[in-house]
Amino acid sequence: MAACPPQASSQLMSAIRSAASALGSEPWHGPLRHHRGRIIVILARQLADANKRLGSSYWTGPDGHNVGLDVFKAYGIALAVAGRARSLDELKATMTAAAAAYRERPGDPDGYGSATFGEIERDLKALSDQIA
């Protein structure tokens, strides 16, 4: 399992377990395996955010749309991208491409899915900068 930040809430810990389980171990044989735990935490933060928003009527608009759905959709795409990546550079590049494709399509009226990708890209860049 990924290393949990010491201040991790129970929601984040649950999201870490879910993200780790969803990713499995198969795609993590190459150089990316050294960063697996940190990448799982990056993704899990978004899953925890989606779950938090989905669980609160505050994030539901008058049309019945909860922005947590947009966060969850973006998380799902990011999870699939991470599952196919073989290196951190490949992960960053494919995540950027997935984010651009997501932003071009309709269906994220409040921009929360796009913001989810922005946070993931920021965190992957920070990880890359730390290990450079």
PDB file of all heavy atoms in Angstrom, residues 27-37 39 81-89 91 127:
ATOM      1  N   PRO A  27       1.138  -2.662 -13.875  1.00  0.00           N
ATOM      2  CA  PRO A  27       1.868  -1.686 -14.679  1.00  0.00           C
ATOM      3  C   PRO A  27       3.084  -1.084 -13.989  1.00  0.00           C
ATOM      4  O   PRO A  27       3.726  -0.207 -14.520  1.00  0.00           O
ATOM      5  CB  PRO A  27       0.824  -0.600 -14.953  1.00  0.00           C
ATOM      6  CG  PRO A  27      -0.076  -0.660 -13.779  1.00  0.00           C
ATOM      7  CD  PRO A  27      -0.106  -2.121 -13.364  1.00  0.00           C
ATOM      8  N   TRP A  28       3.418  -1.555 -12.835  1.00  0.00           N
ATOM      9  CA  TRP A  28       4.436  -0.901 -12.030  1.00  0.00           C
ATOM     10  C   TRP A  28       5.750  -1.664 -12.012  1.00  0.00           C
ATOM     11  O   TRP A  28       6.440  -1.695 -11.022  1.00  0.00           O
ATOM     12  CB  TRP A  28       3.911  -0.684 -10.629  1.00  0.00           C
ATOM     13  CG  TRP A  28       2.672   0.134 -10.641  1.00  0.00           C
ATOM     14  CD1 TRP A  28       1.398  -0.326 -10.682  1.00  0.00           C
ATOM     15  CD2 TRP A  28       2.574   1.549 -10.683  1.00  0.00           C
ATOM     16  NE1 TRP A  28       0.515   0.725 -10.725  1.00  0.00           N
ATOM     17  CE2 TRP A  28       1.216   1.889 -10.728  1.00  0.00           C
ATOM     18  CE3 TRP A  28       3.518   2.578 -10.674  1.00  0.00           C
ATOM     19  CZ2 TRP A  28       0.758   3.195 -10.768  1.00  0.00           C
ATOM     20  CZ3 TRP A  28       3.068   3.883 -10.723  1.00  0.00           C
ATOM     21  CH2 TRP A  28       1.701   4.186 -10.766  1.00  0.00           C
ATOM     22  N   HIS A  29       6.134  -2.264 -13.117  1.00  0.00           N
ATOM     23  CA  HIS A  29       7.376  -3.020 -13.155  1.00  0.00           C
ATOM     24  C   HIS A  29       8.580  -2.182 -13.576  1.00  0.00           C
ATOM     25  O   HIS A  29       9.698  -2.531 -13.296  1.00  0.00           O
ATOM     26  CB  HIS A  29       7.242  -4.223 -14.098  1.00  0.00           C
ATOM     27  CG  HIS A  29       6.248  -5.221 -13.595  1.00  0.00           C
ATOM     28  ND1 HIS A  29       6.449  -5.959 -12.456  1.00  0.00           N
ATOM     29  CD2 HIS A  29       5.042  -5.582 -14.063  1.00  0.00           C
ATOM     30  CE1 HIS A  29       5.409  -6.735 -12.253  1.00  0.00           C
ATOM     31  NE2 HIS A  29       4.536  -6.533 -13.216  1.00  0.00           N
ATOM     32  N   GLY A  30       8.371  -1.102 -14.245  1.00  0.00           N
ATOM     33  CA  GLY A  30       9.470  -0.285 -14.754  1.00  0.00           C
ATOM     34  C   GLY A  30       9.911   0.749 -13.746  1.00  0.00           C
ATOM     35  O   GLY A  30       9.680   0.623 -12.526  1.00  0.00           O
ATOM     36  N   PRO A  31      10.535   1.805 -14.246  1.00  0.00           N
ATOM     37  CA  PRO A  31      11.061   2.854 -13.367  1.00  0.00           C
ATOM     38  C   PRO A  31       9.981   3.552 -12.533  1.00  0.00           C
ATOM     39  O   PRO A  31      10.273   4.103 -11.481  1.00  0.00           O
ATOM     40  CB  PRO A  31      11.715   3.852 -14.324  1.00  0.00           C
ATOM     41  CG  PRO A  31      11.665   3.258 -15.677  1.00  0.00           C
ATOM     42  CD  PRO A  31      10.816   2.045 -15.645  1.00  0.00           C
ATOM     43  N   LEU A  32       8.755   3.473 -12.991  1.00  0.00           N
ATOM     44  CA  LEU A  32       7.679   4.156 -12.274  1.00  0.00           C
ATOM     45  C   LEU A  32       7.386   3.516 -10.912  1.00  0.00           C
ATOM     46  O   LEU A  32       6.862   4.159 -10.021  1.00  0.00           O
ATOM     47  CB  LEU A  32       6.419   4.147 -13.142  1.00  0.00           C
ATOM     48  CG  LEU A  32       5.359   5.199 -12.864  1.00  0.00           C
ATOM     49  CD1 LEU A  32       5.950   6.603 -12.911  1.00  0.00           C
ATOM     50  CD2 LEU A  32       4.224   5.083 -13.847  1.00  0.00           C
ATOM     51  N   ARG A  33       7.771   2.266 -10.726  1.00  0.00           N
ATOM     52  CA  ARG A  33       7.457   1.576  -9.468  1.00  0.00           C
ATOM     53  C   ARG A  33       8.073   2.270  -8.255  1.00  0.00           C
ATOM     54  O   ARG A  33       7.545   2.174  -7.156  1.00  0.00           O
ATOM     55  CB  ARG A  33       7.868   0.116  -9.534  1.00  0.00           C
ATOM     56  CG  ARG A  33       9.345  -0.131  -9.392  1.00  0.00           C
ATOM     57  CD  ARG A  33       9.654  -1.639  -9.360  1.00  0.00           C
ATOM     58  NE  ARG A  33      11.061  -1.865  -9.290  1.00  0.00           N
ATOM     59  CZ  ARG A  33      11.841  -2.023 -10.360  1.00  0.00           C
ATOM     60  NH1 ARG A  33      11.329  -2.008 -11.559  1.00  0.00           N
ATOM     61  NH2 ARG A  33      13.136  -2.211 -10.208  1.00  0.00           N
ATOM     62  N   HIS A  34       9.166   2.983  -8.449  1.00  0.00           N
ATOM     63  CA  HIS A  34       9.815   3.682  -7.332  1.00  0.00           C
ATOM     64  C   HIS A  34       8.967   4.838  -6.810  1.00  0.00           C
ATOM     65  O   HIS A  34       9.173   5.292  -5.691  1.00  0.00           O
ATOM     66  CB  HIS A  34      11.193   4.193  -7.744  1.00  0.00           C
ATOM     67  CG  HIS A  34      12.122   3.104  -8.167  1.00  0.00           C
ATOM     68  ND1 HIS A  34      12.591   2.139  -7.296  1.00  0.00           N
ATOM     69  CD2 HIS A  34      12.641   2.810  -9.383  1.00  0.00           C
ATOM     70  CE1 HIS A  34      13.373   1.302  -7.957  1.00  0.00           C
ATOM     71  NE2 HIS A  34      13.416   1.678  -9.223  1.00  0.00           N
ATOM     72  N   HIS A  35       8.042   5.295  -7.627  1.00  0.00           N
ATOM     73  CA  HIS A  35       7.212   6.460  -7.275  1.00  0.00           C
ATOM     74  C   HIS A  35       5.750   6.075  -7.077  1.00  0.00           C
ATOM     75  O   HIS A  35       4.903   6.936  -6.922  1.00  0.00           O
ATOM     76  CB  HIS A  35       7.334   7.526  -8.361  1.00  0.00           C
ATOM     77  CG  HIS A  35       8.748   7.807  -8.731  1.00  0.00           C
ATOM     78  ND1 HIS A  35       9.656   8.351  -7.853  1.00  0.00           N
ATOM     79  CD2 HIS A  35       9.422   7.581  -9.880  1.00  0.00           C
ATOM     80  CE1 HIS A  35      10.827   8.458  -8.445  1.00  0.00           C
ATOM     81  NE2 HIS A  35      10.718   7.996  -9.674  1.00  0.00           N
ATOM     82  N   ARG A  36       5.473   4.771  -7.099  1.00  0.00           N
ATOM     83  CA  ARG A  36       4.105   4.268  -7.031  1.00  0.00           C
ATOM     84  C   ARG A  36       3.325   4.843  -5.852  1.00  0.00           C
ATOM     85  O   ARG A  36       2.219   5.338  -6.012  1.00  0.00           O
ATOM     86  CB  ARG A  36       4.117   2.743  -6.957  1.00  0.00           C
ATOM     87  CG  ARG A  36       2.740   2.123  -6.941  1.00  0.00           C
ATOM     88  CD  ARG A  36       2.833   0.583  -6.880  1.00  0.00           C
ATOM     89  NE  ARG A  36       1.556  -0.035  -7.067  1.00  0.00           N
ATOM     90  CZ  ARG A  36       0.670  -0.246  -6.087  1.00  0.00           C
ATOM     91  NH1 ARG A  36       0.959   0.122  -4.857  1.00  0.00           N
ATOM     92  NH2 ARG A  36      -0.488  -0.818  -6.342  1.00  0.00           N
ATOM     93  N   GLY A  37       3.890   4.780  -4.668  1.00  0.00           N
ATOM     94  CA  GLY A  37       3.187   5.265  -3.479  1.00  0.00           C
ATOM     95  C   GLY A  37       2.826   6.730  -3.562  1.00  0.00           C
ATOM     96  O   GLY A  37       1.708   7.121  -3.225  1.00  0.00           O
ATOM     97  N   ILE A  39       2.480   8.525  -6.292  1.00  0.00           N
ATOM     98  CA  ILE A  39       1.490   8.721  -7.356  1.00  0.00           C
ATOM     99  C   ILE A  39       0.108   8.296  -6.861  1.00  0.00           C
ATOM    100  O   ILE A  39      -0.892   8.974  -7.123  1.00  0.00           O
ATOM    101  CB  ILE A  39       1.911   7.963  -8.625  1.00  0.00           C
ATOM    102  CG1 ILE A  39       3.164   8.625  -9.211  1.00  0.00           C
ATOM    103  CG2 ILE A  39       0.770   7.922  -9.648  1.00  0.00           C
ATOM    104  CD1 ILE A  39       3.879   7.792 -10.256  1.00  0.00           C
ATOM    105  N   VAL A  81      -4.866   6.614 -17.075  1.00  0.00           N
ATOM    106  CA  VAL A  81      -3.593   7.089 -17.629  1.00  0.00           C
ATOM    107  C   VAL A  81      -2.433   6.562 -16.784  1.00  0.00           C
ATOM    108  O   VAL A  81      -1.446   6.051 -17.313  1.00  0.00           O
ATOM    109  CB  VAL A  81      -3.573   8.633 -17.709  1.00  0.00           C
ATOM    110  CG1 VAL A  81      -2.174   9.163 -17.967  1.00  0.00           C
ATOM    111  CG2 VAL A  81      -4.541   9.125 -18.777  1.00  0.00           C
ATOM    112  N   ALA A  82      -2.560   6.672 -15.480  1.00  0.00           N
ATOM    113  CA  ALA A  82      -1.488   6.217 -14.584  1.00  0.00           C
ATOM    114  C   ALA A  82      -1.273   4.712 -14.707  1.00  0.00           C
ATOM    115  O   ALA A  82      -0.137   4.235 -14.625  1.00  0.00           O
ATOM    116  CB  ALA A  82      -1.816   6.581 -13.141  1.00  0.00           C
ATOM    117  N   GLY A  83      -2.336   3.980 -14.933  1.00  0.00           N
ATOM    118  CA  GLY A  83      -2.231   2.536 -15.052  1.00  0.00           C
ATOM    119  C   GLY A  83      -1.484   2.077 -16.292  1.00  0.00           C
ATOM    120  O   GLY A  83      -0.982   0.955 -16.335  1.00  0.00           O
ATOM    121  N   ARG A  84      -1.396   2.941 -17.300  1.00  0.00           N
ATOM    122  CA  ARG A  84      -0.715   2.574 -18.545  1.00  0.00           C
ATOM    123  C   ARG A  84       0.709   3.126 -18.633  1.00  0.00           C
ATOM    124  O   ARG A  84       1.485   2.678 -19.473  1.00  0.00           O
ATOM    125  CB  ARG A  84      -1.512   3.083 -19.745  1.00  0.00           C
ATOM    126  CG  ARG A  84      -2.837   2.380 -19.943  1.00  0.00           C
ATOM    127  CD  ARG A  84      -3.509   2.796 -21.233  1.00  0.00           C
ATOM    128  NE  ARG A  84      -3.730   4.217 -21.365  1.00  0.00           N
ATOM    129  CZ  ARG A  84      -4.832   4.861 -20.970  1.00  0.00           C
ATOM    130  NH1 ARG A  84      -5.821   4.182 -20.412  1.00  0.00           N
ATOM    131  NH2 ARG A  84      -4.956   6.153 -21.131  1.00  0.00           N
ATOM    132  N   ALA A  85       1.050   4.091 -17.804  1.00  0.00           N
ATOM    133  CA  ALA A  85       2.349   4.768 -17.914  1.00  0.00           C
ATOM    134  C   ALA A  85       3.489   3.844 -17.497  1.00  0.00           C
ATOM    135  O   ALA A  85       3.331   2.994 -16.616  1.00  0.00           O
ATOM    136  CB  ALA A  85       2.351   6.021 -17.049  1.00  0.00           C
ATOM    137  N   ARG A  86       4.644   4.031 -18.119  1.00  0.00           N
ATOM    138  CA  ARG A  86       5.831   3.225 -17.817  1.00  0.00           C
ATOM    139  C   ARG A  86       6.952   4.047 -17.185  1.00  0.00           C
ATOM    140  O   ARG A  86       7.926   3.500 -16.694  1.00  0.00           O
ATOM    141  CB  ARG A  86       6.355   2.558 -19.091  1.00  0.00           C
ATOM    142  CG  ARG A  86       5.382   1.612 -19.723  1.00  0.00           C
ATOM    143  CD  ARG A  86       5.254   0.371 -18.868  1.00  0.00           C
ATOM    144  NE  ARG A  86       4.331  -0.559 -19.498  1.00  0.00           N
ATOM    145  CZ  ARG A  86       3.586  -1.405 -18.835  1.00  0.00           C
ATOM    146  NH1 ARG A  86       3.639  -1.457 -17.537  1.00  0.00           N
ATOM    147  NH2 ARG A  86       2.778  -2.214 -19.462  1.00  0.00           N
ATOM    148  N   SER A  87       6.829   5.359 -17.239  1.00  0.00           N
ATOM    149  CA  SER A  87       7.839   6.227 -16.625  1.00  0.00           C
ATOM    150  C   SER A  87       7.146   7.493 -16.151  1.00  0.00           C
ATOM    151  O   SER A  87       6.021   7.804 -16.576  1.00  0.00           O
ATOM    152  CB  SER A  87       8.939   6.581 -17.626  1.00  0.00           C
ATOM    153  OG  SER A  87       8.435   7.462 -18.610  1.00  0.00           O
ATOM    154  N   LEU A  88       7.815   8.231 -15.283  1.00  0.00           N
ATOM    155  CA  LEU A  88       7.240   9.478 -14.782  1.00  0.00           C
ATOM    156  C   LEU A  88       7.093  10.487 -15.909  1.00  0.00           C
ATOM    157  O   LEU A  88       6.077  11.186 -15.991  1.00  0.00           O
ATOM    158  CB  LEU A  88       8.086  10.044 -13.640  1.00  0.00           C
ATOM    159  CG  LEU A  88       7.514  11.259 -12.917  1.00  0.00           C
ATOM    160  CD1 LEU A  88       6.104  10.977 -12.383  1.00  0.00           C
ATOM    161  CD2 LEU A  88       8.429  11.671 -11.769  1.00  0.00           C
ATOM    162  N   ASP A  89       8.062  10.561 -16.799  1.00  0.00           N
ATOM    163  CA  ASP A  89       7.948  11.483 -17.929  1.00  0.00           C
ATOM    164  C   ASP A  89       6.771  11.118 -18.818  1.00  0.00           C
ATOM    165  O   ASP A  89       6.025  11.988 -19.268  1.00  0.00           O
ATOM    166  CB  ASP A  89       9.244  11.495 -18.758  1.00  0.00           C
ATOM    167  CG  ASP A  89      10.382  12.213 -18.050  1.00  0.00           C
ATOM    168  OD1 ASP A  89      10.107  13.053 -17.162  1.00  0.00           O
ATOM    169  OD2 ASP A  89      11.553  11.926 -18.372  1.00  0.00           O
ATOM    170  N   LEU A  91       4.105   9.477 -17.855  1.00  0.00           N
ATOM    171  CA  LEU A  91       2.907   9.775 -17.082  1.00  0.00           C
ATOM    172  C   LEU A  91       2.557  11.255 -17.171  1.00  0.00           C
ATOM    173  O   LEU A  91       1.400  11.612 -17.408  1.00  0.00           O
ATOM    174  CB  LEU A  91       3.096   9.352 -15.626  1.00  0.00           C
ATOM    175  CG  LEU A  91       1.946   9.699 -14.670  1.00  0.00           C
ATOM    176  CD1 LEU A  91       0.624   9.102 -15.147  1.00  0.00           C
ATOM    177  CD2 LEU A  91       2.280   9.227 -13.266  1.00  0.00           C
ATOM    178  N   LEU A 127       6.558  16.286  -7.908  1.00  0.00           N
ATOM    179  CA  LEU A 127       7.242  15.012  -7.701  1.00  0.00           C
ATOM    180  C   LEU A 127       8.461  14.922  -8.625  1.00  0.00           C
ATOM    181  O   LEU A 127       9.557  14.564  -8.186  1.00  0.00           O
ATOM    182  CB  LEU A 127       6.293  13.844  -7.971  1.00  0.00           C
ATOM    183  CG  LEU A 127       6.892  12.439  -7.966  1.00  0.00           C
ATOM    184  CD1 LEU A 127       7.564  12.123  -6.632  1.00  0.00           C
ATOM    185  CD2 LEU A 127       5.823  11.406  -8.298  1.00  0.00           C
TER     186      LEU A 127
END
